[in-house]
Amino acid sequence: MSKKDFYEILGVSKNASPEEIKKAYRKKAIEFHPDKNPGNKEAEENFKTAAEAYEVLSDPDKKAKYDQYGHAAFEAGGYGGHHHMNMDDIFSQFGDIFGSAFGGGFGGFGGNGGGQRRVKGSNLRIKVKLTLEEIANGVEKKVKVKRKVQAPGVKYKTCATCNGQGQVLRVTNTILGRMQSATTCHVCGGTGQTIDSKPNHADAHGMILEDETVSIKIPAGVVDGMQLKVSGKGNDAPGNGIPGDLIVAIEELEHETLKREGENLHYDLYISFAEAALGVSKEIEAVNGKVRIKLEEGIQSGKILRLKGKGIPSLNSYGNGDLLVHVNVWTPKTLNKEQRQFFEKALTDENFIPKPEKSDKSFFEKVKDMFS
């Protein structure tokens, strides 16, 4: 079942400003909030779906990728970076957007008021270099990542400053009287707990660095500079919080003979005068192995042969691009006496005089065809 369009979920246009997107999300989130719809599973799903849409459309980088590739930019191969958000994610990331709509308590699922929040660990970033063959076929890469994880033996205790609530109450005197406000506890960072004991080799947050081999499934058709996300493979968070994510930046390695242009590939094929005149069968390299093509006799330099479906797969699974073979007739730079005599005779031979036909397209027509 295909996912609903994020713009449609929030009820905004593709040209909506960040403020309009935020306003639309707040309206939807308040409408479907669990406190207003107790026990209503459909409202809960709508609440999560609206948060997923806002998570993407509120981030300029994610929004640009979504506008270009749709849901495939985040879901291809299971590692596109988008995940089905849970309530903890939503309240920890977007709780401030709701403001006082629910009395300000609003610290977790169901508005249970405690104010305690799960801290999310920091993200890690790596760069993965891919050959054109790997990009064309998709690949699973195993990479070693140095992650922060909670050290064995770390023990926590209830934060004495906020008594485990994650928030502290402040009372200030104003011209309107005494005002009470809740702020995140500066000692525990809102988790409601602090470290009781930890091993000597752990840092102040009870974390240690550990090597982990992470398997990354990279879908076919990715492009240079694209970022994928492996959820939960960044740094762990103190106090059994939510792990950060591993951000994977794609770097495309240059191919020796093939040039990529979107989903199409280009190959320069050089042939001799003799091969052009007599016709020839040639084997050329494609991303999925060798391909044999036949050139008819009398083929002209500049001819472009299009091999359908021999290019790069579309990331949206709409088939493959093409392989465009550019025929170049190679002119010899040195001739022996016999060859020179042959070409001197050919200067006045009627068969060697250029006679382009209407079907022989000009260079500009070929370029136009190539991009159409």
Side-chain angles (χ1 to χ4, degrees), residues 2-159:
S2 60
K3 292 192 74 170
K4 195 174 178 183
D5 179 75
F6 283 155
Y7 291 100
E8 195 178 327
I9 289 168
L10 297 184
V12 294
S13 71
K14 281 195 173 185
N15 299 321
S17 68
E19 193 55 44
E20 287 172 331
I21 291 171
K22 184 175 181 179
K23 189 176 178 181
Y25 169 56
R26 186 176 188 274
K27 184 179 177 182
K28 291 286 182 184
I30 290 172
E31 179 186 349
F32 297 117
H33 191 278
D35 283 359
K36 281 194 172 184
N37 304 273
N40 186 333
K41 285 290 178 187
E42 186 180 348
E44 184 180 320
E45 280 305 307
N46 287 336
F47 184 73
K48 290 177 181 177
T49 304
E52 287 179 9
Y54 181 70
E55 183 195 23
V56 170
L57 299 185
S58 63
D59 183 307
D61 186 48
K62 290 181 182 177
K63 184 178 183 294
K65 287 182 172 61
Y66 179 74
D67 288 344
Q68 188 171 2
Y69 300 107
H71 291 293
F74 305 99
E75 295 174 351
Y79 285 93
H82 201 54
H83 60 284
H84 193 69
M85 301 181 76
N86 60 40
M87 290 298 186
D88 282 331
D89 290 336
I90 297 168
F91 289 122
S92 65
Q93 289 183 50
F94 309 131
D96 60 316
I97 286 176
F98 302 94
S100 58
F102 292 87
F106 209 47
F109 175 55
N112 51 20
Q116 205 176 89
R117 66 187 182 93
R118 292 181 71 192
V119 176
K120 186 170 182 180
S122 56
N123 292 341
L124 292 174
R125 295 179 181 275
I126 61 165
K127 185 178 283 186
V128 172
K129 297 182 178 183
L130 301 178
T131 65
L132 202 53
E133 286 81 4
E134 288 173 329
I135 288 173
N137 298 295
V139 67
E140 185 169 350
K141 289 279 188 181
K142 293 187 186 300
V143 296
K144 189 174 279 188
V145 178
K146 202 175 279 291
R147 300 178 59 221
K148 280 186 180 180
V149 298
Q150 186 174 290
V154 173
K155 292 181 181 176
Y156 292 92
K157 62 182 178 182
T158 300
C159 176

Side-chain angles (χ1 to χ4, degrees), residues 213-254:
T213 300
V214 179
S215 183
I216 306 167
K217 290 180 182 173
I218 299 172
V222 293
V223 296
D224 187 78
M226 180 177 281
Q227 293 187 346
L228 308 180
K229 184 170 81 174
V230 185
S231 297
K233 289 301 179 181
N235 289 321
D236 279 351
N240 301 310
I242 304 165
D245 303 317
L246 178 63
I247 309 300
V248 182
I250 301 299
E251 182 180 339
E252 183 179 316
L253 297 172
E254 191 173 338

Side-chain angles (χ1 to χ4, degrees), residues 132-133 254-259 266-268 284-286:
L132 202 53
E133 286 81 4
E254 191 173 338
H255 194 276
E256 193 176 340
T257 56
L258 296 168
K259 299 293 179 188
H266 295 270
Y267 181 91
D268 273 315
I284 64 171
E285 186 177 359

Side-chain angles (χ1 to χ4, degrees), residues 227 284 306 310 367:
Q227 293 187 346
I284 64 171
R306 184 183 290 267
K310 294 295 183 181
V367 171

Side-chain angles (χ1 to χ4, degrees), residues 156-167:
Y156 292 92
K157 62 182 178 182
T158 300
C159 176
T161 304
C162 66
N163 293 319
Q165 294 302 301
Q167 292 183 340

